[in-house]
Amino acid sequence: MANNCEDAPSNMPFSTVDPHLSQPPALETQSTSNKNRKAVVVGIYGIQGCGKTFLLNQLKDSLGQDHFSFYDGSQMIASLVPGGLTAFQQLEEKDTLHWRQRAISTIGKQYSDSGRVAIVAGHFMFWPKEEEAGQVVCTKNDLDTFTHILYLNVLAEDISKRRLADKERTRPFMSVEHLRKRQQVEKTELRSLCYQHGILFSLLFPGPNLPDKVSTLLRDFRQHEEEYNLSLVESRLDEVIVAGQGKVETVLVLDADRTLAAEDSGALFWKMVSNTHQSGDDKYPLKSLFSSPLGYSYTAFRQATLLYEETADDQEFDDFCEKVAPAITMHPDFVSLLQLAATQEHVGAVVVTCGLRHVWEKVLER
């Protein structure tokens, strides 16, 4: 995963500390308090027919229900509305809004003090083929309640085939072009709304490892918040000092991007991604992220992690980092300083980055 951090070799005279892109230790060893913590409610979104319910059932099997609960948004509404889903579908728009808001608020309140994670499959909009624009059914309560939204980004061609082959539900025909247009609108608007409301957002791409990848993300979402993140940083710094076997008396702390070198590893990474994928999407998504209402907050850096996660798998991420590292040239004075520090047993050096630790380990090794 893009946020994995390997330990630096013990014989190196420095360590890199990357507080935002750290891999948590085993869940059983963690003991973060859940007091006064907002309930973790994760939305699984995507066009009808993309496989949300199927994924939800896979996650239920892999994660179990000790720490996670699973909901289909429509089923929750049906359980609250007198007369069920049939009665709900016959209500006027203002009444359906009331029940949609009540459904998600019920889930949020139910898990605010439990420490359990609620996973909800839902819809962002309904968009019949004959209409020029879709109707957004995501409510204010949704945006106040969800902490994470994962969007199932299945190819429009595959969604079309699944809809036609669905024997359990009667789905109206929609062209591939219409499905693709709707999907792009949903992804763009959802990401923007999430940035505005402090919700972590990520795209999910289909594949044989998808349930395992999503299960890993959900376990991380359950535990990873700002206090725990800080504990990872402190633990890593303790490792650095202990590695000095009590001889380290002075530690140099140095920033990485645009300090040790003129280049920015993040900018180089996304330029390479853009050139490789030849995508018309945002060519430098970190710029859009940090200029959003999230600013340079803890949530923003967690969102940056998810941007890397959705952009490349493990091997592709490592390949990108391998290509980015040679493009970064450290200032000679800093190279000399680190080399001098390496000759002194009582001096250590820590390079701190809120960017890509994997790149900077390669740079420093060189």
Side-chain angles (χ1 to χ4, degrees):
M1 294 175 64
N3 60 345
N4 282 3
C5 291
E6 300 86 12
D7 288 336
S10 59
N11 62 340
M12 296 176 70
F14 62 85
S15 178
T16 49
V17 178
D18 185 344
H20 304 288
L21 308 181
S22 297
Q23 177 71 11
L27 193 61
E28 301 81 58
T29 66
Q30 299 171 7
S31 59
T32 301
S33 170
N34 288 313
K35 290 184 178 180
N36 301 320
R37 184 181 176 188
K38 183 179 180 181
V40 179
V41 182
V42 183
I44 305 289
Y45 277 41
I47 294 177
Q48 295 94 324
C50 70
K52 296 187 297 292
T53 301
F54 183 69
L55 176 60
L56 205 67
N57 290 331
Q58 288 180 308
L59 295 173
K60 192 181 299 183
D61 290 338
S62 62
L63 292 170
Q65 299 188 59
D66 291 338
H67 302 294
F68 300 88
S69 293
F70 304 85
Y71 295 91
D72 183 288
S74 298
Q75 292 175 352
M76 171 56 75
I77 291 172
S79 69
L80 294 173
V81 178
L85 203 56
T86 301
F88 171 78
Q89 292 169 342
Q90 296 173 355
L91 296 174
E92 295 183 4
E93 184 176 341
K94 63 181 179 63
D95 295 319
T96 62
L97 175 63
H98 163 76
W99 288 109
R100 290 184 190 282
Q101 291 180 327
R102 183 171 172 182
I104 191 63
S105 296
T106 299
I107 294 172
K109 291 176 182 177
Q110 199 170 356
Y111 292 93
S112 59
D113 299 318
S114 69
R116 291 163 60 86
V117 175
I119 304 166
V120 186
H123 305 292
F124 178 67
M125 64 167 51
F126 292 118
W127 194 344
K129 177 186 175 184
E130 63 273 12
E131 297 183 7
E132 292 185 6
Q135 177 192 0
V136 174
V137 294
C138 177
T139 71
K140 180 181 182 301
N141 286 26
D142 290 319
L143 298 173
D144 289 340
T145 302
F146 281 119
T147 54
H148 308 72
I149 289 180
L150 304 176
Y151 191 89
L152 197 49
N153 193 41
V154 180
L155 288 175
E157 291 82 355
D158 293 337
I159 296 176
S160 179
K161 292 176 183 177
R162 292 180 187 180
R163 291 173 64 90
L164 292 172
D166 194 338
K167 297 179 180 179
E168 296 183 3
R169 304 182 189 182
T170 302
R171 299 185 186 275
F173 172 77
M174 293 184 182
S175 69
V176 171
E177 182 181 354
H178 173 76
L179 290 170
R180 188 180 295 115
K181 176 183 177 182
R182 174 180 166 181
Q183 191 178 61
Q184 187 58 49
V185 169
E186 288 197 350
K187 289 187 294 185
T188 302
E189 292 191 10
L190 256 178
R191 191 184 294 276
S192 176
L193 284 171
C194 286
Y195 286 11
Q196 292 174 38
H197 290 83
I199 301 169
L200 295 176
F201 177 85
S202 186
L203 300 178
L204 301 176
F205 295 88
N209 297 324
L210 178 62
D212 291 337
K213 178 179 176 64
V214 180
S215 295
T216 299
L217 286 173
L218 292 172
R219 290 189 183 99
D220 181 68
F221 293 165
R222 174 174 172 254
Q223 188 69 20
H224 211 139
E225 41 76 46
E226 193 163 1
E227 181 182 353
Y228 170 63
N229 190 72
L230 180 59
S231 73
L232 288 178
V233 179
E234 293 172 341
S235 175
R236 183 71 182 116
L237 286 172
D238 286 345
E239 289 177 17
V240 173
I241 301 302
V242 171
Q245 300 177 344
K247 298 178 181 179
V248 175
E249 298 174 0
T250 301
V251 176
L252 304 175
V253 181
L254 305 123
D255 186 24
D257 295 296
R258 299 188 183 278
T259 300
L260 288 182
E263 298 83 7
D264 184 315
S265 61
L268 292 172
F269 181 94
W270 288 107
K271 182 178 180 180
M272 188 167 296
V273 168
S274 177
N275 292 338
T276 302
H277 292 178
Q278 296 182 337
S279 170
D281 296 338
D282 191 351
K283 292 186 178 181
Y284 190 30
L286 292 189
K287 184 176 181 179
S288 300
L289 168 62
F290 292 122
S291 63
S292 77
L294 291 176
Y296 287 87
S297 63
Y298 163 79
T299 300
F301 281 101
R302 288 287 288 157
Q303 179 62 63
T305 306
L306 293 176
L307 284 171
Y308 287 109
E309 289 286 351
E310 73 181 47
T311 299
D313 60 23
D314 293 2
Q315 185 58 55
E316 192 176 18
F317 178 80
D318 188 67
D319 291 343
F320 280 135
C321 291
E322 194 71 46
K323 293 174 182 177
V324 168
I328 296 176
T329 303
M330 287 179 59
H331 296 301
D333 289 349
F334 281 120
V335 175
S336 299
L337 178 63
L338 287 172
Q339 290 174 342
L340 178 60
T343 65
Q344 309 297 315
E345 288 188 350
H346 70 289
V347 178
V350 174
V351 173
V352 182
T353 173
C354 60
L356 293 170
R357 169 177 172 168
H358 203 42
V359 168
W360 273 99
E361 286 182 333
K362 294 177 184 295
V363 173
L364 290 165
E365 285 168 6
R366 187 180 74 240

